[in-house]
Amino acid sequence: MNEFSDVKLTRRDLLIAGAVSVSTAAIPGANAQPAANQAEAGNPDPVTTGVSFTVNGKPVTLQLDTRTTLLDALREHLHLTGSKKGCDQGQCGACTIIMDGRRINSCLSLAVMHDGAEITTIEGLGTPDKLHPMQAAFIKHDGYQCGYCTPGQICASVSVLEEIRQGIPSHVTGDITAKPLLSVEEIRERMSGNICRCGAYSNIIDAIKEVGGVKA
Amino acid sequence: MKAFTYQRASSPAEAAKLVARTPNARFIAGGTNLLDLMKLEIETPAALVDVNGLGFDKIEPTSDGGLRVGALVRNTDLAADARVRKDYAVLSRALLAGASTQLRNKATTSGNLLQRTRCPYFYDTAQKCNKRQPGSGCAAIGGFTRHHAVVGTSEACIAVHPSDMAIAMRVLDAEVETIKADGSMRSIPIADFHRLPGNTPHIETALEPGELILSVKLPKPLGGVHAYRKVRDRASYAFALVSVATVILPDGSGRVAVGGVAHKPWRVEAAEQQMAQGAKAVSERLMAGARTTEDNAFKVALVHRTLAEAMAAAKKG
């Protein structure tokens, strides 16, 4: 291992290098199946459409295959890889982003449907030098282990506090005509769309409580 | 996912016409269910007509004291509307019991009504399913049926409708307002909107090809105590094993609709005449003729117990 000691590779760099070698190995297989086979199998040619939206304050215009999900547009086309692909079917919440002030699952939405939208991803909430208070609280309270679900958890957490502030009720709201309380019970219910397989839930709740100003 | 063309509709009439005349075309609104099914190639539209730009995102009072909910009102907004929370609490409660906030922020009123079953055999394209591939058979019958229907089933299909919102709309006697491809409009009572499976489980609603939902009309408020009780395997973010929507009036009369037991929101008006006799009498009439399996026989008892709890709570006020 000593000969590598001066090579500053992060774990992320290693993962990326690993992924590249895997896809290189896969290319001969891909070549073996010419694109023409797809058409013979009844697959129509891909259709592309233009779409413009704002991501983290920057306007972007993309020409995309209509099938591209918003998550893939962010990750593969804009290289904003903070938003994660977990289940890709709206069950895990790792792809949570904030669109026009509301959190959504970016995996269950087509990019072309969001012309004119204002999108905020984890990269737009804070920077390494200037963390969003929720990011700082997740670090302080150890609100993660592997970190894969964390960008989605943080986008959801920020939204939870905003939704309670706006008075949007939840399944556990006692008096549905009253303003919901900022309580642990409310936070837990509202975070149920974000799964953490490492089980950092109690620390995530502590982080949200601190930012929201919940006592005890 | 199969390739498809994508078009933003400029008017409801144009959208209806486009979908009716384009082979294998579908409307898309929130897309939270359709896109999931497209990824699995259970839905394979050749053309998508995006209706998100058409308006229909308001909740407005009607002349007869009710509310008209636009087809594109998001589930979050419908659940949070002050008038709905006050006068149609069963609807707010049902919406909030379903999915996650991320999904409710995107899912629309019309899309929620049109969402398709989560039967695992429907989702697994290696399995026989009359709903996915008419005439192929039903792998759920004789399979694992804990989540399946126990009333209104057929030899062709035992899938359940997954919506919570639709159960509340059934108890409220909502009406679904639509525009057809020829430009004519109609109003479909929610009782007739969803179909039982019969021999054609792939035909799930009364909508004609190209017919577009514009709004859902809620009749004037019923008053009484509203409740939506959902029993599921997790405390949050899971489909119902059984759900019970109730509106119980001060004189003890009331309405009951049940979810998680049938291919459509399940309501038997004659059962509601038994309210004075108690939950047992009501649920026996509601679930009469139930065809259960070892896996799902518990649903009959669970409907009774959940209803009994709702009726007891309403009495306490």
Side-chain angles (χ1 to χ4, degrees):
Chain A
M1 284 302 284
N2 276 348
E3 63 266 38
F4 291 116
S5 59
D6 59 341
V7 182
K8 286 187 178 137
L9 272 183
T10 63
R11 188 172 66 128
R12 168 170 303 217
D13 291 332
L14 278 170
L15 285 170
I16 290 168
V20 169
S21 57
V22 167
S23 29
T24 311
I27 283 172
N31 284 345
Q33 202 166 35
N37 274 0
Q38 279 215 321
E40 282 163 26
N43 263 355
D45 290 336
V47 183
T48 61
T49 301
V51 63
S52 300
F53 42 64
T54 304
V55 182
N56 300 331
K58 287 186 201 129
V60 297
T61 297
L62 295 168
Q63 190 71 26
L64 296 172
D65 185 319
T66 51
R67 292 171 288 187
T68 313
T69 62
L70 181 59
L71 176 63
D72 285 342
L74 293 168
R75 288 181 53 87
E76 310 297 333
H77 295 263
L78 298 172
H79 307 295
L80 293 167
T81 53
S83 309
K84 295 293 186 280
K85 186 180 282 190
C87 68
D88 208 25
Q89 52 184 8
Q91 292 183 354
C92 77
C95 68
T96 302
I97 54 110
I98 301 169
M99 154 124 41
D100 297 328
R102 292 263 177 100
R103 55 175 159 150
I104 64 163
N105 294 320
S106 60
C107 76
L108 278 191
S109 219
L110 293 170
V112 294
M113 289 167 63
H114 298 104
D115 205 56
E118 288 197 17
I119 295 158
T120 303
T121 68
I122 189 71
E123 291 91 344
L125 278 183
T127 63
D129 299 328
K130 202 182 172 210
L131 295 175
H132 184 282
M134 193 65 79
Q135 290 172 313
F138 265 64
I139 294 169
K140 180 180 164 190
H141 292 279
D142 235 352
Y144 49 81
Q145 282 184 42
C146 82
Y148 195 81
C149 71
T150 313
Q153 298 278 3
I154 291 178
C155 286
S157 302
V158 169
S159 303
V160 162
L161 295 180
E162 179 59 21
E163 287 153 14
I164 294 174
R165 197 192 61 76
Q166 288 176 11
I168 295 171
S170 86
H171 175 62
V172 299
T173 304
D175 176 358
I176 204 165
T177 59
K179 205 169 162 9
L181 303 169
L182 178 54
S183 66
V184 170
E185 196 193 9
E186 284 280 359
I187 294 170
R188 289 173 68 92
E189 160 62 22
R190 289 166 193 265
M191 288 298 289
S192 71
N194 291 80
I195 310 297
C196 170
R197 293 314 306 260
C198 302
Y201 297 111
S202 60
N203 294 356
I204 292 171
I205 300 290
D206 287 347
I208 303 173
K209 272 167 61 182
E210 176 170 307
V211 178
V214 184
K215 290 177 202 86
Chain B
M1 203 186 308
K2 302 264 195 222
F4 55 85
T5 62
Y6 169 84
Q7 216 169 329
R8 295 177 190 117
S10 59
S11 74
E14 186 219 5
K17 221 178 277 173
L18 258 175
V19 167
R21 73 157 185 244
T22 313
N24 199 13
R26 295 291 306 267
F27 299 113
I28 189 163
T32 51
N33 186 214
L34 181 58
L35 200 50
D36 185 26
L37 294 169
M38 284 167 64
K39 288 179 183 183
L40 297 164
E41 298 194 353
I42 293 164
E43 294 268 10
T44 52
L48 286 185
V49 175
D50 185 345
V51 296
N52 283 293
L54 298 182
F56 300 103
D57 55 357
K58 307 259 182 318
I59 304 171
E60 290 168 323
T62 60
S63 54
D64 56 3
L67 285 180
R68 176 167 284 112
V69 180
L72 294 167
V73 172
R74 307 290 151 171
N75 287 178
T76 294
D77 295 309
L78 183 55
D81 184 273
R83 294 160 293 184
V84 176
R85 284 154 78 178
K86 179 173 160 284
D87 295 329
Y88 306 95
V90 64
L91 180 55
S92 269
R93 289 288 187 197
L95 282 157
L96 295 171
S100 65
T101 307
Q102 283 96 320
L103 289 167
R104 293 193 297 270
N105 281 345
K106 203 91 189 101
T108 62
T109 306
S110 51
N112 190 319
L113 284 175
L114 295 174
Q115 66 177 305
R116 307 199 67 192
T117 186
R118 280 4 182 247
C119 170
Y121 299 96
F122 170 71
Y123 262 76
D124 181 351
T125 51
Q127 301 283 349
K128 290 174 181 175
C129 174
N130 289 318
K131 191 181 273 299
R132 177 164 33 74
Q133 202 178 348
S136 63
C138 172
I141 295 174
F144 292 99
T145 52
R146 175 171 161 78
H147 285 268
H148 288 79
V150 294
V151 280
T153 56
S154 73
E155 295 304 317
C157 182
I158 56 168
V160 293
H161 197 275
S163 173
D164 293 295
M165 182 194 79
I167 311 303
M169 286 182 172
R170 180 69 182 92
V171 93
L172 292 168
D173 270 337
E175 287 182 40
V176 184
E177 300 177 317
T178 68
I179 184 166
K180 293 196 206 179
D182 65 5
S184 65
M185 287 155 84
R186 66 167 170 159
S187 181
I188 307 167
I190 189 85
D192 305 330
F193 184 79
H194 294 106
R195 296 161 47 107
L196 287 177
N199 291 322
T200 54
H202 59 291
I203 305 171
E204 293 167 353
T205 69
L207 294 178
E208 294 174 10
E211 190 168 4
L212 175 67
I213 299 174
L214 300 176
S215 50
V216 172
K217 202 176 106 180
L218 303 177
K220 71 170 197 273
L222 293 166
V225 178
H226 289 218
Y228 186 79
R229 282 165 206 274
K230 180 174 179 177
V231 184
R232 44 186 161 173
D233 283 330
R234 294 193 293 256
S236 183
Y237 200 18
F239 290 100
L241 291 167
V242 156
S243 69
V244 176
T246 47
V247 176
I248 298 175
L249 300 175
D251 66 3
S253 68
R255 300 181 180 188
V256 183
V258 183
V261 297
H263 196 258
K264 61 185 284 185
W266 194 251
R267 183 173 168 203
V268 178
E269 275 84 347
E272 293 163 8
Q273 305 306 316
Q274 311 286 315
M275 291 292 275
Q277 280 71 55
K280 183 102 189 141
V282 179
S283 65
E284 269 171 10
R285 182 76 182 78
L286 249 175
M287 305 303 286
R291 293 170 68 182
T292 62
T293 66
E294 204 180 325
D295 293 342
N296 61 32
F298 73 91
K299 287 192 175 189
V300 175
L302 197 54
V303 167
H304 163 228
R305 290 174 191 170
T306 310
L307 176 63
E309 208 271 326
M311 287 172 72
K315 216 174 211 174
K316 272 193 254 166

